[in-house]
Amino acid sequence: MTDDAVRAKQGVLFALAAYTFWGIAPIYFKLVKQVPAFEILAHRIIWAFVLVLILIIAMRRMDRILPIVRSPKLIIRLTIATFLLGGNWFLFIWAINTDHLLDASLGYYINPLLNVAIGMAFFGEKMRRLQLVAIALAVTGVAIQVITFGAVPWVALALASSFATYGAIRKRLPVDSISGLWLETAILTPIMLSYLVFFADSSASDLTANAWQLNALLVAAGLVTTIPLLCFTAAAQRIRYSTLGFFQYIAPSLMFLLAVLAYGEPLEESKLITFVIIWSALALYTIDSVIQRQRNRRTIVQEPLS
């Protein structure tokens, strides 16, 4: 195999690992269900801060942090993105531990379509016909649930919109993923430490009184945050970003299966109809991406001959 083929194969494996890890992450959060969602969030941020700092020091990347910290404009924009991400993480944890995993799954199915809409609205990206149809289908699916069944899928919409907006802000920031994650956790860590020390009053808030198994699980929140991100970064460095996009449906699909098969969440008629329409929209979106990719390949092959 050529070096490029080896790197591509590694990229596919890293992508599978990243999205599979994100898809089964609800299993971890269910294991610490007895801990309030905001406390789990606090541990996730604090331990991710510690773990990523160790990684940055080991990789000798501290020199990448200083230019960002010295730029007030970058820090302000990164702070806005950080609070969107923190809100998204909290809602995701809350959704899992209050048996709204199906809603979380729906949110991450909607997310790629929302990314396309944001690209058109704010980044001047042109929308192809099938993409427009896919987005129209997604809007129709949500509208049917609201109008016919009187149920607003607010958890799904909030998760999709917060993460899509976060991604749009981060897209324009010249900050690599590892440095960005550490700075994001660094911004939130003082708030989370203050919460744990002065406000948290659950039975699990005093780590010295907990069983070591529970404390180990809470510390593992840092691993749950960083491992899939590192796999994702490794994948993005080895394969095309468009190719990487085809793996993004693994996570919400695994969440869907866990919700229905493992945790027994009821698949109500309103949700099922919305899911079917969103799946149809994503199928169109995927077909359009494949067609466009084939056209691009033909163009690249033909150009040297012209």
Side-chain angles (χ1 to χ4, degrees):
M1 295 179 70
T2 65
D3 290 343
D4 288 343
V6 171
R7 282 181 61 81
K9 184 177 180 180
Q10 291 173 344
V12 168
L13 293 175
F14 278 122
L16 286 170
Y19 284 106
T20 300
F21 203 103
W22 275 322
I24 63 173
I27 297 173
Y28 164 79
F29 293 112
K30 287 286 189 183
L31 290 174
V32 289
K33 187 176 180 178
Q34 71 273 30
V35 181
F38 203 81
E39 281 188 35
I40 299 174
L41 175 67
H43 284 286
R44 183 177 187 179
I45 289 168
I46 292 167
W47 297 115
F49 167 80
V50 173
L51 182 59
V52 178
L53 176 60
I54 293 171
L55 282 173
I56 288 175
I57 293 173
M59 297 169 70
R60 298 180 180 179
R61 289 192 175 184
M62 286 303 295
D63 58 318
R64 300 187 182 187
I65 304 294
L66 293 177
I68 303 168
V69 174
R70 290 170 179 166
S71 172
K73 289 184 178 179
L74 276 182
I75 290 298
I76 289 171
R77 290 160 63 192
L78 188 63
T79 300
I80 294 171
T82 296
F83 280 97
L84 282 168
L85 182 63
N88 179 275
W89 282 357
F90 169 75
L91 185 56
F92 181 65
I93 296 167
W94 177 89
I96 293 169
N97 289 352
T98 55
D99 300 324
H100 287 84
L101 184 52
L102 274 175
D103 292 317
S105 171
L106 179 61
Y108 289 111
Y109 275 126
I110 293 173
N111 180 251
L113 298 173
L114 193 55
N115 286 340
V116 175
I118 287 176
M120 180 188 70
F122 296 100
F123 299 121
E125 297 176 2
K126 293 183 178 179
M127 199 96 72
R128 296 184 293 274
R129 186 177 300 173
L130 282 180
Q131 288 180 322
L132 286 169
V133 174
I135 291 172
L137 265 179
V139 172
T140 301
V142 173
I144 287 174
Q145 184 168 339
V146 173
I147 297 170
T148 307
F149 299 96
V152 179
W154 68 269
V155 174
L157 294 175
L159 282 171
S161 59
S162 60
F163 197 71
T165 307
Y166 162 78
I169 295 173
R170 286 286 275 113
K171 179 182 174 69
R172 289 297 182 92
L173 291 178
V175 181
D176 66 273
S177 58
I178 296 177
S179 301
L181 177 61
W182 185 73
L183 287 168
E184 287 162 353
T185 56
I187 290 168
L188 292 174
T189 289
I191 299 171
M192 295 303 155
L193 280 173
S194 299
Y195 169 75
L196 287 180
V197 172
F198 299 110
F199 300 103
D201 59 356
S202 76
S203 58
S205 59
D206 184 0
L207 295 183
T208 61
N210 291 340
W212 70 266
Q213 294 93 335
L214 177 57
N215 283 341
L217 282 172
L218 292 174
V219 172
L223 295 172
V224 171
T225 301
T226 55
I227 288 176
L229 180 66
L230 291 174
C231 290
F232 176 84
T233 302
Q237 291 171 345
R238 288 166 172 81
I239 57 178
R240 292 174 180 268
Y241 207 74
S242 58
T243 303
L244 191 59
F246 289 112
F247 293 93
Q248 64 190 333
Y249 308 125
I250 293 174
S253 298
L254 289 173
M255 292 177 201
F256 180 89
L257 293 174
L258 283 173
V260 176
L261 301 179
Y263 301 121
E265 288 190 19
L267 186 55
E268 300 163 356
E269 185 181 359
S270 61
K271 288 182 180 178
L272 180 58
I273 290 173
T274 303
F275 267 109
V276 169
I277 294 174
I278 296 296
W279 287 332
S280 301
L282 289 173
L284 283 177
Y285 173 76
T286 303
I287 290 169
D288 175 80
S289 299
V290 171
I291 292 171
Q292 187 61 32
R293 192 175 174 190
Q294 289 175 342
R295 286 176 179 169
N296 291 340
R297 280 181 176 177
R298 285 197 294 267
T299 301
I300 291 171
V301 170
Q302 291 171 1
E303 276 181 355
L305 301 176
S306 59

